[in-house]
Amino acid sequence: MHTFEGTFLGDTSKLKDDDCLECKVCHYVYDPKKGDIDQNIEPNTPFSKLPPYWICPICGCEKELFLVVRHDES
Ligand SMILES: [Zn+2]
């Protein structure tokens, strides 16, 4: 199994509430400010609060395959 830098590996305690996470398969980005209407996720739902059954709306992969999107300070 490969691990990628930034993969949170299901440890949501490392996530901030306003972190965006990107699917490493299809590059869909989950934005907590938008939620995911198609799966009944309300806007302003942190990634860490998504239900266990939530999957990528584009490719259907699991939450564990998402990467935290970090913005460089510079
Ligand atoms: Zn995906």
Side-chain angles (χ1 to χ4, degrees), residues 4-21:
F4 288 75
E5 188 174 357
T7 305
F8 77 110
L9 294 174
D11 185 0
T12 54
S13 67
K14 291 178 181 168
L15 297 175
K16 299 196 200 82
D17 284 356
D18 60 352
D19 274 343
C20 293
L21 280 90

Side-chain angles (χ1 to χ4, degrees), residues 19-36:
D19 274 343
C20 293
L21 280 90
E22 180 179 323
C23 176
K24 78 182 184 189
V25 178
C26 71
H27 303 292
Y28 163 85
V29 174
Y30 177 79
D31 183 346
K33 293 186 190 71
K34 295 178 188 163
D36 177 12

Side-chain angles (χ1 to χ4, degrees), residues 8-72:
F8 77 110
L9 294 174
D11 185 0
T12 54
S13 67
K14 291 178 181 168
L15 297 175
K16 299 196 200 82
D17 284 356
D18 60 352
D19 274 343
C20 293
L21 280 90
E22 180 179 323
C23 176
K24 78 182 184 189
V25 178
C26 71
H27 303 292
Y28 163 85
V29 174
Y30 177 79
D31 183 346
K33 293 186 190 71
K34 295 178 188 163
D36 177 12
I37 292 165
D38 290 342
Q39 294 185 78
N40 293 318
I41 307 301
E42 303 259 341
N44 299 312
T45 302
F47 194 85
S48 60
K49 298 278 168 46
L50 289 172
Y53 54 79
W54 187 88
I55 55 173
C56 176
I58 306 299
C59 72
C61 77
E62 296 178 1
K63 286 193 291 183
E64 282 72 14
L65 294 177
F66 277 67
L67 305 172
V68 178
V69 179
R70 297 285 185 206
H71 300 286
D72 291 334

